[in-house]
Amino acid sequence: MDRKRELTSVDCAALVTELGAYEGAKVDKAYLYGEDLLRLKLRDYDEGRLELLVEVGDVKRAHLVAPERVPDAPGRPPNFAMMLRNRISGADFAGVEQFGFDRILTFHFERPDGDTYVVAELFGEGNIAVLDENREVMGCLETIRLKSRTVAPGALYEYPSARLDPFALDEDGFAARMEESDTDVVRTLATLLNFGGLWAEELCTRAGVAKTKDIADATEEDYARLFDAAERLETTLRTGAFDPRVYYADPDGGGDGSGDGAADADDAGDGSGENVEPIRVDATPLPLEEREGQRAEVFPNFNAALDDYFYHYEEEVGAGGGGASGRPDFEEEIAKYERIVTQQEGAIEGFDEQAQEEREKAELLYARYDLVDEVLSAIRSAREEDVPWDDIAARFEEGRERGIAAAEAVEDVDGSNARVTLDLDGTRVTLDATTGVEKNADRLYREAKRVEEKKEGALEAIEDTREQLAAVKERRDRWEAEDADEAGDRGGEEGDGEDEPVDWLSRASVPVRRNEQWYERFRWFRTSDGFLVLGGRNADQNEELVKKYTERGDLFFHTQAPGAPVTILKATEPSEAARDVDVPERSREEAAQFAVSYSSVWKDGHFAGDVYMAHPDQVSKTPESGEYVEKGSFVVRGDRTYYEDTPVGVSVGIACEPQTQVIGGPPSAIEPRAATSIRVEPGRYAQNDAAKLLYREFRERFADTSFVRKVASPDLIQEFLPPGGSRIVEG
């Protein structure tokens, strides 16, 4: 059974109702973990502390969580979190809305200095955008620039094209939409009516309508029962009369429990006398008749059910919650998606042909205009005289016997639907008998266009399915890599005891080892010889480095070009006493490259610049008489050592030992220390965009993508990129 990884449209509707109870809660802080998990800390007058999580990565969700389940706050808030804090700290939560019936939630916050909207897109690649009161984007996790919409800082936010809201239809509209389908009932509800697979099946079960019944065989009574079931669901979602469940599947792959379907989770067993923890597979706002008898646990509200489900999701997936062997049945899931792709491809092939047929029918109406007009005019005239439909059909039968061409073209007269079917040059065309030729032709052209739009939707759907298929294959590959890694570990224990290099990239799980140092708030790196090099990020840090952290034996580096950081090569460790040390020339050259790379030389798009080196006693804040030294600048007196035409060069990498962290600086110093690294050079991508490009590349390289998110988020990577534009060095 597939495990829930994303909220459904029904889930989003239920959340809007439940979260509405907390309107007026005050926002304390905002936190961002990695590039896809947002946490909002709030205080409610009645409930006290509230924690709202919004995740838009591989898992897509939004719900309140128990405070004890909140992840520890990141050590350094990234820019996105700081921007959001500045806008909503102290604001009132003014509610949340669902965009149509789509998986998009818009959270509204009010503050005297202006409103803020946080839009969570819980579909596709996922995204979170922060908007001001004019709906202008102040920041977003992902920049989107498509023909259909743009989501980028400074632009007005554009929602994607709205899909059908089935709850906005009346009974006639519901039935008409169902009639447009050419497949079975359940797939029509899932796609054309936008209910999705789970709730399409549930509505069929509640309505007592066979899921596989072809639309051509469906009756008005079937549509009425389905509409009634949908209407009752909408009432429940609107009123909040929920009865939430978390559903389980037994570890052996079975989904049925005993009793009334609300058994305690820890009652499960494997039939061998050994208790095995059952696997959570879904959380729903109300019990499903489709899953009657399946093991489930009842929760007081839907947020609590989602909290329980997703809190255990990662640990159960990590523990192998897919079968008795601990390995999910990837092959079955892959086969399922491949079957869906095949079906979708088959449906797409017929759309072009169907659209062409509708156009040809419309063109036939104009080609045989006089004949068609004669038939339609005769029917309308007869109906104006209240001639019964059966008599009209009889008149055409008489005309056919007399050899009248217009009557011979009439194949059928359907009085119940006011339709007439004609045979025009061997093509059957069904027309609305109450209108003229032009309107009937226009209807056929519109039908052709609707079919083409269905094809576009089907193409999007097949891409989604292919992405899901690729994701399953990726998870399977991670499992196999982990199995191979464990086998390698066992082999190493049995071998000759020699230390082998660890292949961190292929490991399914990389342990996080982190002990943040005080100097990491500056720019920094360690040279090939192990010397610590520090650089200022701004004028204040330049002042601080020279006045507080520069000692005897250290070396001072600066570029000839203005707008460069103060760069200090520490001769000794920060905890050691200052002393004179012979610094190797290789380390001096790396410090010089560091100084030029993070200067205006890079920002101006140049690939080399001049750097000079001096000793601490040559550096002073005392200017010559009549001169002024700006903040962050210094006077350097005496002889200097020059490094002319020093090439810029930066590598950003991820180190896995002795600590797991992002490192960056001169390639010769960084690349040997990193498990993997990427070189950059001056280019067209802004720091923020370049950081995201590197992040995605690192995620591709590591089997453990969650490790990359924890230790190398785009904001952490950005700290090691030079100011100005960059691009990845190919090859």
Side-chain angles (χ1 to χ4, degrees), residues 608-659:
D610 295 339
V611 182
Y612 64 83
M613 181 186 74
H615 295 278
D617 57 7
Q618 297 177 253
V619 182
S620 171
K621 283 293 291 185
T622 304
E624 299 294 337
S625 177
E627 295 182 354
Y628 170 75
V629 178
E630 294 181 351
K631 185 176 184 179
S633 298
F634 301 89
V635 176
V636 179
R637 297 182 173 89
D639 295 336
R640 312 173 188 184
T641 301
Y642 281 88
Y643 293 85
E644 297 178 344
D645 290 326
T646 299
V648 299
V650 169
S651 279
V652 179
I654 299 178
C656 294
E657 53 184 357
Q659 293 198 64

Short mmCIF file of all heavy atoms in Angstrom, two decimals, residues 608-659:
data_model
loop_
_atom_site.label_atom_id
_atom_site.label_comp_id
_atom_site.label_asym_id
_atom_site.label_seq_id
_atom_site.Cartn_x
_atom_site.Cartn_y
_atom_site.Cartn_z
N ALA A 608 41.56 38.05 -12.33
CA ALA A 608 42.84 38.16 -11.63
C ALA A 608 42.98 39.56 -11.07
O ALA A 608 42.33 40.51 -11.54
CB ALA A 608 44.02 37.83 -12.56
N GLY A 609 43.82 39.70 -10.05
CA GLY A 609 44.08 41.00 -9.45
C GLY A 609 45.34 40.96 -8.62
O GLY A 609 45.90 39.89 -8.34
N ASP A 610 45.83 42.14 -8.24
CA ASP A 610 47.05 42.23 -7.44
C ASP A 610 46.71 42.24 -5.95
O ASP A 610 45.77 42.90 -5.51
CB ASP A 610 47.81 43.51 -7.78
CG ASP A 610 48.31 43.50 -9.22
OD1 ASP A 610 48.42 42.40 -9.79
OD2 ASP A 610 48.55 44.59 -9.78
N VAL A 611 47.52 41.50 -5.18
CA VAL A 611 47.34 41.40 -3.73
C VAL A 611 48.68 41.70 -3.07
O VAL A 611 49.73 41.33 -3.60
CB VAL A 611 46.87 39.98 -3.33
CG1 VAL A 611 46.64 39.90 -1.82
CG2 VAL A 611 45.60 39.60 -4.09
N TYR A 612 48.64 42.39 -1.92
CA TYR A 612 49.88 42.60 -1.17
C TYR A 612 49.76 42.01 0.23
O TYR A 612 48.66 41.84 0.76
CB TYR A 612 50.26 44.09 -1.10
CG TYR A 612 49.29 44.96 -0.35
CD1 TYR A 612 49.35 45.07 1.06
CD2 TYR A 612 48.34 45.71 -1.02
CE1 TYR A 612 48.47 45.88 1.75
CE2 TYR A 612 47.46 46.53 -0.33
CZ TYR A 612 47.53 46.61 1.05
OH TYR A 612 46.66 47.42 1.74
N MET A 613 50.92 41.69 0.80
CA MET A 613 51.00 41.11 2.14
C MET A 613 51.83 42.02 3.03
O MET A 613 52.85 42.58 2.59
CB MET A 613 51.63 39.71 2.07
CG MET A 613 51.74 38.99 3.41
SD MET A 613 52.66 37.43 3.27
CE MET A 613 54.34 38.06 3.10
N ALA A 614 51.40 42.18 4.29
CA ALA A 614 52.14 42.99 5.26
C ALA A 614 52.08 42.29 6.61
O ALA A 614 51.35 41.31 6.80
CB ALA A 614 51.55 44.39 5.34
N HIS A 615 52.85 42.85 7.59
CA HIS A 615 52.85 42.30 8.95
C HIS A 615 51.98 43.18 9.85
O HIS A 615 51.74 44.36 9.55
CB HIS A 615 54.28 42.21 9.47
CG HIS A 615 55.13 41.24 8.69
ND1 HIS A 615 55.11 39.90 8.93
CD2 HIS A 615 56.01 41.44 7.66
CE1 HIS A 615 55.92 39.28 8.09
NE2 HIS A 615 56.49 40.21 7.30
N PRO A 616 51.48 42.64 10.95
CA PRO A 616 50.56 43.39 11.81
C PRO A 616 51.09 44.75 12.25
O PRO A 616 50.31 45.70 12.35
CB PRO A 616 50.36 42.45 13.01
CG PRO A 616 50.58 41.08 12.45
CD PRO A 616 51.66 41.25 11.42
N ASP A 617 52.40 44.87 12.51
CA ASP A 617 52.91 46.16 13.00
C ASP A 617 52.94 47.23 11.91
O ASP A 617 53.21 48.40 12.19
CB ASP A 617 54.31 45.98 13.62
CG ASP A 617 55.31 45.37 12.64
OD1 ASP A 617 54.97 45.20 11.45
OD2 ASP A 617 56.44 45.05 13.08
N GLN A 618 52.65 46.85 10.67
CA GLN A 618 52.59 47.83 9.59
C GLN A 618 51.18 48.40 9.40
O GLN A 618 50.99 49.36 8.65
CB GLN A 618 53.03 47.19 8.26
CG GLN A 618 54.47 46.71 8.21
CD GLN A 618 54.77 46.03 6.89
OE1 GLN A 618 54.89 44.81 6.83
NE2 GLN A 618 54.89 46.81 5.83
N VAL A 619 50.20 47.78 10.07
CA VAL A 619 48.80 48.14 9.86
C VAL A 619 48.34 49.07 10.98
O VAL A 619 48.52 48.78 12.17
CB VAL A 619 47.92 46.88 9.81
CG1 VAL A 619 46.46 47.25 9.54
CG2 VAL A 619 48.43 45.90 8.75
N SER A 620 47.71 50.18 10.60
CA SER A 620 47.32 51.18 11.60
C SER A 620 46.03 51.88 11.17
O SER A 620 45.70 51.97 9.98
CB SER A 620 48.44 52.22 11.76
OG SER A 620 48.01 53.29 12.56
N LYS A 621 45.32 52.44 12.17
CA LYS A 621 44.14 53.27 11.90
C LYS A 621 44.50 54.75 11.92
O LYS A 621 43.64 55.60 11.71
CB LYS A 621 43.06 53.02 12.97
CG LYS A 621 42.28 51.74 12.79
CD LYS A 621 41.39 51.75 11.54
CE LYS A 621 40.24 52.71 11.65
NZ LYS A 621 39.31 52.63 10.49
N THR A 622 45.78 55.07 12.19
CA THR A 622 46.19 56.46 12.30
C THR A 622 46.55 57.00 10.92
O THR A 622 47.51 56.54 10.28
CB THR A 622 47.42 56.60 13.22
OG1 THR A 622 47.10 56.03 14.49
CG2 THR A 622 47.79 58.06 13.39
N PRO A 623 45.80 57.99 10.40
CA PRO A 623 46.07 58.51 9.06
C PRO A 623 47.18 59.54 9.07
O PRO A 623 47.63 60.01 10.12
CB PRO A 623 44.73 59.15 8.68
CG PRO A 623 44.19 59.63 9.99
CD PRO A 623 44.62 58.63 11.02
N GLU A 624 47.65 59.89 7.89
CA GLU A 624 48.58 60.99 7.76
C GLU A 624 47.85 62.29 8.09
O GLU A 624 46.61 62.36 8.05
CB GLU A 624 49.15 61.05 6.33
CG GLU A 624 49.91 59.80 5.90
CD GLU A 624 51.18 59.60 6.70
OE1 GLU A 624 51.71 60.59 7.25
OE2 GLU A 624 51.65 58.44 6.79
N SER A 625 48.61 63.31 8.42
CA SER A 625 48.01 64.59 8.79
C SER A 625 47.10 65.11 7.68
O SER A 625 47.50 65.15 6.51
CB SER A 625 49.11 65.62 9.09
OG SER A 625 48.54 66.88 9.39
N GLY A 626 45.87 65.49 8.05
CA GLY A 626 44.93 66.04 7.09
C GLY A 626 44.17 64.99 6.29
O GLY A 626 43.33 65.33 5.45
N GLU A 627 44.41 63.69 6.57
CA GLU A 627 43.70 62.63 5.87
C GLU A 627 42.69 61.95 6.78
O GLU A 627 42.72 62.13 8.01
CB GLU A 627 44.70 61.60 5.31
CG GLU A 627 45.62 62.17 4.24
CD GLU A 627 46.56 61.11 3.69
OE1 GLU A 627 46.56 59.99 4.24
OE2 GLU A 627 47.28 61.40 2.72
N TYR A 628 41.81 61.17 6.18
CA TYR A 628 40.76 60.48 6.95
C TYR A 628 40.71 59.02 6.51
O TYR A 628 40.78 58.71 5.32
CB TYR A 628 39.41 61.15 6.71
CG TYR A 628 38.23 60.37 7.26
CD1 TYR A 628 37.97 60.33 8.63
CD2 TYR A 628 37.38 59.66 6.40
CE1 TYR A 628 36.89 59.61 9.12
CE2 TYR A 628 36.30 58.94 6.89
CZ TYR A 628 36.06 58.92 8.26
OH TYR A 628 35.01 58.21 8.76
N VAL A 629 40.62 58.11 7.50
CA VAL A 629 40.52 56.68 7.21
C VAL A 629 39.09 56.22 7.49
O VAL A 629 38.61 56.34 8.62
CB VAL A 629 41.52 55.87 8.06
CG1 VAL A 629 41.36 54.38 7.77
CG2 VAL A 629 42.94 56.32 7.78
N GLU A 630 38.41 55.71 6.46
CA GLU A 630 37.03 55.26 6.63
C GLU A 630 36.96 54.01 7.48
O GLU A 630 37.95 53.28 7.65
CB GLU A 630 36.41 54.98 5.25
CG GLU A 630 36.25 56.20 4.37
CD GLU A 630 35.61 55.85 3.04
OE1 GLU A 630 35.46 54.63 2.75
OE2 GLU A 630 35.24 56.77 2.30
N LYS A 631 35.74 53.75 8.00
CA LYS A 631 35.50 52.55 8.79
C LYS A 631 35.78 51.31 7.95
O LYS A 631 35.35 51.21 6.80
CB LYS A 631 34.05 52.53 9.27
CG LYS A 631 33.74 51.38 10.22
CD LYS A 631 32.31 51.49 10.72
CE LYS A 631 32.03 50.42 11.75
NZ LYS A 631 30.65 50.52 12.27
N GLY A 632 36.54 50.39 8.51
CA GLY A 632 36.89 49.17 7.81
C GLY A 632 38.13 49.28 6.97
O GLY A 632 38.57 48.28 6.38
N SER A 633 38.70 50.49 6.90
CA SER A 633 39.93 50.70 6.13
C SER A 633 41.10 50.97 7.06
O SER A 633 40.91 51.37 8.22
CB SER A 633 39.76 51.88 5.16
OG SER A 633 38.73 51.61 4.23
N PHE A 634 42.33 50.79 6.53
CA PHE A 634 43.52 50.93 7.37
C PHE A 634 44.65 51.55 6.55
O PHE A 634 44.62 51.55 5.32
CB PHE A 634 43.96 49.56 7.91
CG PHE A 634 42.90 48.90 8.74
CD1 PHE A 634 41.95 48.07 8.16
CD2 PHE A 634 42.84 49.13 10.11
CE1 PHE A 634 40.96 47.47 8.92
CE2 PHE A 634 41.86 48.54 10.88
CZ PHE A 634 40.92 47.71 10.28
N VAL A 635 45.62 52.08 7.29
CA VAL A 635 46.84 52.60 6.67
C VAL A 635 47.93 51.54 6.82
O VAL A 635 48.13 51.03 7.92
CB VAL A 635 47.28 53.92 7.34
CG1 VAL A 635 48.60 54.39 6.74
CG2 VAL A 635 46.20 54.98 7.18
N VAL A 636 48.58 51.18 5.71
CA VAL A 636 49.66 50.19 5.75
C VAL A 636 50.95 50.91 5.36
O VAL A 636 51.06 51.48 4.27
CB VAL A 636 49.39 49.02 4.77
CG1 VAL A 636 50.55 48.03 4.82
CG2 VAL A 636 48.07 48.34 5.11
N ARG A 637 51.92 50.90 6.29
CA ARG A 637 53.19 51.61 6.06
C ARG A 637 54.33 50.60 5.92
O ARG A 637 54.29 49.52 6.50
CB ARG A 637 53.48 52.56 7.23
CG ARG A 637 52.42 53.67 7.37
CD ARG A 637 52.77 54.62 8.51
NE ARG A 637 51.88 55.77 8.56
CZ ARG A 637 50.74 55.81 9.23
NH1 ARG A 637 50.36 54.75 9.93
NH2 ARG A 637 49.98 56.90 9.21
N GLY A 638 55.34 50.99 5.18
CA GLY A 638 56.52 50.13 5.03
C GLY A 638 56.43 49.25 3.81
O GLY A 638 55.51 49.35 2.98
N ASP A 639 57.42 48.39 3.69
CA ASP A 639 57.51 47.51 2.52
C ASP A 639 56.42 46.43 2.55
O ASP A 639 56.04 45.92 3.61
CB ASP A 639 58.88 46.82 2.48
CG ASP A 639 59.99 47.84 2.27
OD1 ASP A 639 59.69 48.92 1.71
OD2 ASP A 639 61.14 47.55 2.68
N ARG A 640 55.97 46.08 1.37
CA ARG A 640 54.94 45.05 1.23
C ARG A 640 55.44 43.98 0.26
O ARG A 640 56.26 44.25 -0.62
CB ARG A 640 53.63 45.64 0.71
CG ARG A 640 53.18 46.89 1.41
CD ARG A 640 51.97 47.50 0.71
NE ARG A 640 51.63 48.82 1.24
CZ ARG A 640 50.59 49.54 0.86
NH1 ARG A 640 49.78 49.07 -0.08
NH2 ARG A 640 50.35 50.73 1.39
N THR A 641 54.89 42.80 0.40
CA THR A 641 55.17 41.72 -0.54
C THR A 641 53.98 41.59 -1.48
O THR A 641 52.84 41.44 -1.02
CB THR A 641 55.39 40.38 0.19
OG1 THR A 641 56.49 40.52 1.10
CG2 THR A 641 55.67 39.26 -0.80
N TYR A 642 54.23 41.69 -2.80
CA TYR A 642 53.13 41.70 -3.76
C TYR A 642 52.96 40.32 -4.44
O TYR A 642 53.94 39.64 -4.77
CB TYR A 642 53.36 42.77 -4.82
CG TYR A 642 53.00 44.16 -4.34
CD1 TYR A 642 53.95 44.94 -3.67
CD2 TYR A 642 51.72 44.67 -4.52
CE1 TYR A 642 53.63 46.21 -3.21
CE2 TYR A 642 51.39 45.93 -4.06
CZ TYR A 642 52.34 46.70 -3.40
OH TYR A 642 52.01 47.94 -2.94
N TYR A 643 51.71 39.98 -4.64
CA TYR A 643 51.34 38.80 -5.42
C TYR A 643 50.56 39.33 -6.62
O TYR A 643 49.34 39.55 -6.54
CB TYR A 643 50.51 37.82 -4.58
CG TYR A 643 51.28 37.21 -3.44
CD1 TYR A 643 51.42 37.86 -2.21
CD2 TYR A 643 51.92 35.97 -3.61
CE1 TYR A 643 52.15 37.30 -1.17
CE2 TYR A 643 52.65 35.40 -2.58
CZ TYR A 643 52.77 36.07 -1.37
OH TYR A 643 53.50 35.51 -0.34
N GLU A 644 51.28 39.55 -7.72
CA GLU A 644 50.67 40.18 -8.88
C GLU A 644 49.91 39.16 -9.74
O GLU A 644 50.30 38.00 -9.84
CB GLU A 644 51.74 40.88 -9.72
CG GLU A 644 52.44 42.01 -8.98
CD GLU A 644 53.53 42.66 -9.81
OE1 GLU A 644 53.94 42.03 -10.82
OE2 GLU A 644 53.97 43.77 -9.47
N ASP A 645 48.83 39.67 -10.35
CA ASP A 645 47.98 38.85 -11.23
C ASP A 645 47.58 37.53 -10.56
O ASP A 645 47.62 36.45 -11.17
CB ASP A 645 48.71 38.54 -12.55
CG ASP A 645 48.84 39.79 -13.41
OD1 ASP A 645 47.93 40.65 -13.37
OD2 ASP A 645 49.86 39.92 -14.12
N THR A 646 47.21 37.66 -9.32
CA THR A 646 46.73 36.46 -8.60
C THR A 646 45.37 36.05 -9.16
O THR A 646 44.44 36.86 -9.18
CB THR A 646 46.59 36.75 -7.09
OG1 THR A 646 47.88 37.10 -6.58
CG2 THR A 646 46.05 35.55 -6.35
N PRO A 647 45.24 34.81 -9.62
CA PRO A 647 43.96 34.40 -10.22
C PRO A 647 42.88 34.21 -9.14
O PRO A 647 43.17 33.74 -8.04
CB PRO A 647 44.29 33.08 -10.90
CG PRO A 647 45.44 32.53 -10.11
CD PRO A 647 46.25 33.73 -9.67
N VAL A 648 41.66 34.60 -9.49
CA VAL A 648 40.56 34.29 -8.59
C VAL A 648 40.29 32.80 -8.68
O VAL A 648 40.60 32.15 -9.68
CB VAL A 648 39.28 35.07 -8.95
CG1 VAL A 648 39.50 36.57 -8.85
CG2 VAL A 648 38.78 34.70 -10.33
N GLY A 649 39.72 32.25 -7.65
CA GLY A 649 39.42 30.82 -7.66
C GLY A 649 38.75 30.40 -6.37
O GLY A 649 39.27 30.68 -5.28
N VAL A 650 37.58 29.80 -6.47
CA VAL A 650 36.84 29.34 -5.29
C VAL A 650 36.25 27.97 -5.58
O VAL A 650 35.68 27.74 -6.65
CB VAL A 650 35.71 30.33 -4.92
CG1 VAL A 650 34.78 29.72 -3.86
CG2 VAL A 650 36.29 31.63 -4.41
N SER A 651 36.41 27.08 -4.62
CA SER A 651 35.69 25.81 -4.62
C SER A 651 34.81 25.78 -3.38
O SER A 651 35.23 26.23 -2.30
CB SER A 651 36.66 24.62 -4.59
OG SER A 651 37.15 24.33 -5.86
N VAL A 652 33.61 25.26 -3.54
CA VAL A 652 32.72 25.05 -2.40
C VAL A 652 32.49 23.55 -2.29
O VAL A 652 32.17 22.89 -3.28
CB VAL A 652 31.37 25.78 -2.58
CG1 VAL A 652 30.45 25.51 -1.39
CG2 VAL A 652 31.60 27.28 -2.74
N GLY A 653 32.69 23.02 -1.10
CA GLY A 653 32.57 21.58 -0.92
C GLY A 653 31.87 21.22 0.36
O GLY A 653 31.54 22.08 1.19
N ILE A 654 31.62 19.92 0.53
CA ILE A 654 31.03 19.39 1.76
C ILE A 654 32.03 18.43 2.37
O ILE A 654 32.43 17.45 1.74
CB ILE A 654 29.70 18.67 1.49
CG1 ILE A 654 28.69 19.64 0.88
CG2 ILE A 654 29.14 18.07 2.77
CD1 ILE A 654 27.35 19.00 0.53
N ALA A 655 32.44 18.75 3.59
CA ALA A 655 33.35 17.88 4.33
C ALA A 655 32.53 16.93 5.20
O ALA A 655 31.51 17.33 5.77
CB ALA A 655 34.29 18.70 5.19
N CYS A 656 32.95 15.68 5.28
CA CYS A 656 32.23 14.69 6.09
C CYS A 656 33.02 14.25 7.31
O CYS A 656 32.48 13.58 8.19
CB CYS A 656 31.88 13.47 5.23
SG CYS A 656 30.68 13.85 3.93
N GLU A 657 34.29 14.59 7.36
CA GLU A 657 35.11 14.29 8.53
C GLU A 657 36.25 15.29 8.62
O GLU A 657 36.69 15.81 7.59
CB GLU A 657 35.65 12.85 8.47
CG GLU A 657 36.38 12.51 7.17
CD GLU A 657 36.82 11.05 7.12
OE1 GLU A 657 36.61 10.31 8.10
OE2 GLU A 657 37.36 10.65 6.10
N PRO A 658 36.71 15.67 9.80
CA PRO A 658 36.20 15.25 11.10
C PRO A 658 34.83 15.83 11.45
O PRO A 658 34.17 15.36 12.35
CB PRO A 658 37.28 15.76 12.07
CG PRO A 658 37.81 16.98 11.38
CD PRO A 658 37.80 16.64 9.92
N GLN A 659 34.42 16.91 10.71
CA GLN A 659 33.10 17.47 10.91
C GLN A 659 32.34 17.47 9.60
O GLN A 659 32.94 17.48 8.53
CB GLN A 659 33.18 18.91 11.45
CG GLN A 659 33.76 19.03 12.84
CD GLN A 659 33.40 20.37 13.46
OE1 GLN A 659 32.24 20.67 13.70
NE2 GLN A 659 34.41 21.19 13.71
#
